[in-house]
Amino acid sequence: MKSKLATLILVSILIVNAQATVRTLSNIGGAQFGSMDAAITGSNAGDTIMVKNTNISYQIIDCDPAWNKAFCVIGIGFNPNVSVPKKVQMSYYEVCNSGASNSKFGLSAGGNGSKFYGLEFIVEVVAASNISNYTFEDCIFYAPVNFGGFSANGVTFKNCVFKGTGNDNLIISPAQQATIVITNCIFNGAVNGNNNVVSNVIFDHSIFLSTIGNPIANFQLTTFQNSIFMNTASLSSNTFNCIFNNNIAQLAATLPPSGNSGAANSVNVDPLFVNYTLGNLYNPSFSFKLQAASPAIGAGLGGSDIGIHNSNSTFNEAGEPVLAPIIRNMTVENSNVLNNGNVNVKIRSTKAR
């Protein structure tokens, strides 16, 4: 019975994709694959993997080549609005190089073009080689994303939460070409540019909540726009030749910081979030939507709203991906089932909110 139910849950959220095969994965049974490694081995590049939310981490071997095929991986979101809010967690396991481990979720060039939606990364995410065209959308990161000494070209983060409270939430490579776009994201900690002088990085429509130190460090040739800085008046350190346009700082900060350029920034201005208390880091109970009287409304580039809830944004506090319907609740309508009998299940699902 459990197997039938798990299969039904997974099949009910499959999306039709004429270009690739849709695979199902569950580490509690009832799917085509029972582990992430099995799904990677048994699927073809370009396939979509629908992952059952279980709160039991899905693990990959944590040594090279790490994530080595281009897949579209879809979970339920980082704060799903469902009756039993279990999530899809990504991790690693220590089974390589005679037991030696780097304890990280690695990304390799073999996985170039991969797209991750609605997942929790509960360990550090690192580049194991030069990578390109990775997409992370509606994901949450509990540890740093660190590209180390490798190039990360065409990498996109959208509608993501970087929940780590340490110094660095996102670390780009120090001397490699890096084209990275971060849009509609929330940062608890700092972002670190590693003094990269060849990078092309854009932070757009994001929120920085760091309460310790500077939320921006060691950046050059980077654009920060349409974003909101809370909780600190000291916004950057060792950051030069960057562009700051149409940003808001809650406290009396200097915008743009010395050594940088920009226009249409506002400081010592309350953006008037619907529900947020100054001095706090990200919490799913907060709402970063703007009140009707917010000075951030229409103050961004092109008349957009500053912050994560601009008119073109698909950010939602549930972190639910928009690619597949979300099962809100499920009721088993017959409590007793004969051997080889049918299980009648009533499911309510809607699109992401």
Side-chain angles (χ1 to χ4, degrees):
M1 178 175 174
K2 290 183 179 179
S3 177
K4 291 181 180 179
L5 289 176
T7 301
L8 180 58
I9 293 170
L10 285 162
V11 171
S12 68
I13 59 175
L14 294 182
I15 58 175
V16 177
N17 188 333
Q19 303 300 317
T21 301
V22 177
R23 314 281 187 172
T24 59
L25 167 61
S26 171
N27 52 18
I28 61 172
Q32 291 169 283
F33 299 106
S35 72
M36 183 60 75
D37 280 331
I40 293 172
T41 300
S43 303
N44 299 315
D47 286 352
T48 293
I49 302 176
M50 302 293 299
V51 189
K52 177 72 177 74
N53 55 312
T54 64
N55 276 356
I56 302 171
S57 65
Y58 291 87
Q59 303 174 331
I60 64 168
I61 297 176
D62 64 338
C63 54
D64 294 343
W67 190 266
N68 63 353
K69 282 187 184 178
F71 297 124
C72 175
V73 184
I74 303 178
I76 196 172
F78 53 77
N79 185 36
N81 185 6
V82 296
S83 56
V84 182
K86 295 179 180 179
K87 305 171 188 178
V88 176
Q89 300 176 339
M90 306 292 278
S91 184
Y92 67 92
Y93 65 90
E94 303 178 3
V95 152
C96 58
N97 300 325
S98 299
S101 168
N102 62 15
S103 304
K104 304 177 192 301
F105 189 98
L107 309 175
S108 75
N112 286 351
S114 289
K115 299 179 179 180
F116 299 97
Y117 298 92
L119 307 176
E120 283 193 318
F121 289 87
I122 61 176
V123 296
E124 184 173 358
V125 177
V126 301
S129 64
N130 293 338
I131 61 173
S132 63
N133 302 318
Y134 274 84
T135 297
F136 300 88
E137 187 167 333
D138 300 301
C139 294
I140 191 167
F141 303 91
Y142 285 86
V145 176
N146 187 349
F147 296 130
F150 296 107
S151 175
N153 288 306
V155 177
T156 300
F157 296 91
K158 182 178 181 182
N159 302 341
C160 292
V161 173
F162 293 77
K163 198 174 180 181
T165 57
N167 290 332
D168 298 319
N169 283 173
L170 174 63
I171 307 167
I172 71 169
S173 32
Q176 298 282 345
Q177 181 65 38
T179 303
I180 304 172
V181 176
I182 303 98
T183 180
N184 303 98
C185 291
I186 299 174
F187 294 89
N188 271 353
V191 293
N192 190 338
N194 257 322
N195 298 310
N196 189 315
V197 296
V198 294
S199 65
N200 179 21
V201 183
I202 298 175
F203 290 86
D204 183 40
H205 286 101
S206 293
I207 297 176
F208 295 83
L209 300 176
S210 176
T211 59
I212 54 172
N214 303 292
I216 299 170
N218 307 315
F219 273 95
Q220 297 189 45
L221 306 177
T222 297
T223 298
F224 298 86
Q225 61 189 28
N226 304 311
S227 296
I228 298 175
F229 298 89
M230 309 293 293
N231 302 323
T232 179
S234 180
L235 302 186
S236 69
S237 65
N238 195 37
T239 294
F240 306 100
N241 301 317
C242 294
I243 299 174
F244 288 77
N245 286 331
N246 300 76
N247 301 290
I248 286 178
Q250 164 84 56
L251 304 180
T254 300
L255 270 175
S258 178
N260 302 277
S261 62
N265 299 289
S266 300
V267 300
N268 205 18
V269 170
D270 186 348
L272 294 179
F273 293 130
V274 167
N275 177 27
Y276 173 75
T277 303
L278 191 65
N280 283 273
L281 300 177
Y282 168 80
N283 187 301
S285 65
F286 292 139
S287 172
F288 294 96
K289 294 180 179 180
L290 303 173
Q291 298 180 37
S294 170
I297 295 177
L301 291 168
S304 65
D305 295 344
I306 295 176
I308 58 175
H309 284 290
N310 55 302
S311 59
N312 295 322
S313 170
T314 55
F315 185 95
N316 66 81
E317 270 67 22
E320 297 170 345
V322 299
L323 298 179
I326 305 297
I327 296 176
R328 303 299 174 188
N329 54 53
M330 179 182 69
T331 303
V332 179
E333 296 189 323
N334 51 330
S335 57
N336 297 308
V337 181
L338 299 175
N339 288 337
N340 299 318
N342 294 322
V343 178
N344 298 321
V345 180
K346 183 177 182 180
I347 293 176
R348 183 177 73 87
S349 64
T350 69
K351 65 179 182 179
R353 296 181 179 178

